Amino acid sequence: MQRRAQRADRSDQRDPRVMRRGRRALLGAAALPVVLLATACSSDSDSGSDDDAKKASASATASPTPTVEPAAYATLPEACDVLSSKTLEDLVPEARKAGKEGSSDELESRASCSWDSLDNNGVKGSQFRWLNVSLLRFDSDVTRGPGDELAQEYYEGQVDDARAVTGARSTKSSSVAGIGDEATAVRYDLKKKEGTFKQQTVVARVENVVVTVDYNGAGLAGDKTPDADALLKDAQKAAKEAVAAVMEANESGGGTGKVPSSSPSASASKASGGSGANPSGTKSPVDAGSSSKSSTRKH
């Protein structure tokens, strides 16, 4: 009995400690929701701050739509109408009334026309002339640059090509004043079985358009070789008229403002191919990238 009483006493002595631990556990459990609530609020606050920072960063880094100055000229004249009747009569006197238009599926950007003339004097020989006018227009493009700069690049390539024709002899080139913004004349001889052809090429640029005039002549069947200086003078006259026709065709046009980045470029790469009969074998710089489609433009 005495031992049971002692154990009961000891058990009673432990009760206060147990009770204190229980109270502390209850107090801790009651505080837990407060801590969790504070943590949740802090997390929501941080998330909102991050979203605001991202929005501010995106707004600050957003760049405006790229723009480029519009090209000066938006169209081309009829290639077969750029030369006057008088000029055609002087340069290709026996040519058909209408020239042969080169094929192109983008006549607003690239076009060409050629004429050939054979003045047959029978046993006394013949005088042959061949004339080609090529027009190439470049649009401004945000990825490639302004139209006039693209045209200048192409202009320089045309001049280089004229200077590097295979089989050319006595090649000479010189700048020409008074034709567009810039012009270069290249002349050389080509020896063929029919005779010696005197080739004259005049390349001119006016704003975003490049005009190339190819003109050659030969005395066939024993006739005398034409004077190269006279041919060059005629070629320069034709180039000047063609440039004036380009400017006249755009007198009522001309854009203002900026061209958006979605604006397509109608620019072309290198000219190739030819049109019309040309026994000299000289490549005429016909519209670049032209397709095999026949032109449907009416005169």
Side-chain angles (χ1 to χ4, degrees), residues 59-288:
S59 176
T61 58
S63 58
T65 302
T67 59
V68 65
E69 289 295 331
Y73 297 145
T75 189
L76 293 177
E78 299 274 354
C80 291
D81 293 340
V82 297
L83 302 181
S84 67
S85 298
K86 179 63 168 63
T87 296
L88 290 174
E89 184 179 349
D90 291 342
L91 273 62
V92 281
E94 301 300 321
R96 293 163 296 178
K97 291 183 179 180
K100 182 178 180 181
E101 190 171 24
S103 61
S104 173
D105 57 356
E106 294 183 60
L107 291 169
E108 294 299 318
S109 297
R110 48 179 75 102
S112 67
C113 192
S114 64
W115 300 260
D116 58 89
S117 171
L118 181 63
D119 184 10
N120 193 340
N121 298 312
V123 295
K124 294 182 180 180
S126 303
Q127 285 292 319
F128 173 79
R129 299 289 185 273
W130 180 80
L131 172 66
N132 185 86
V133 177
S134 171
L135 311 171
L136 191 60
R137 183 182 65 84
F138 291 83
D139 279 339
S140 294
D141 187 282
V142 292
T143 61
R144 301 183 64 222
D148 58 341
E149 293 183 8
L150 297 174
Q152 184 175 32
E153 181 181 350
Y154 179 78
Y155 161 83
E156 293 170 354
Q158 283 287 83
V159 173
D160 290 342
D161 287 348
R163 289 171 176 157
V165 171
T166 302
R169 299 178 181 179
S170 305
T171 302
K172 298 177 182 178
S173 64
S174 59
S175 59
V176 182
I179 303 179
D181 296 316
E182 53 187 333
T184 300
V186 181
R187 55 195 293 185
Y188 52 84
D189 297 343
L190 280 175
K191 183 72 174 178
K192 298 291 181 179
K193 62 180 181 179
E194 298 91 349
T196 299
F197 289 80
K198 297 288 185 177
Q199 172 70 31
Q200 320 296 320
T201 298
V202 179
V203 186
R205 181 187 68 82
V206 54
E207 296 289 354
N208 57 308
V209 176
V210 177
V211 174
T212 305
V213 172
D214 276 304
Y215 184 49
N216 64 49
L220 308 180
D223 206 348
K224 64 179 180 180
T225 300
D227 180 65
D229 290 336
L231 293 178
L232 179 59
K233 184 178 179 180
D234 287 340
Q236 291 175 349
K237 178 182 179 182
K240 191 170 185 177
E241 282 190 20
V243 166
V246 171
M247 298 171 68
E248 184 179 354
N250 288 272
E251 278 183 353
S252 60
T256 57
K258 303 289 185 179
V259 176
S261 60
S262 58
S263 173
S265 173
S267 60
S269 56
K270 211 173 213 183
S272 61
S275 62
N278 181 18
S280 72
T282 305
K283 275 189 176 181
S284 63
V286 188
D287 44 295

Side-chain angles (χ1 to χ4, degrees), residues 1-10:
M1 287 290 296
Q2 185 176 0
R3 283 196 295 271
R4 282 200 300 268
Q6 290 175 347
R7 283 197 297 270
D9 291 339
R10 285 196 297 271

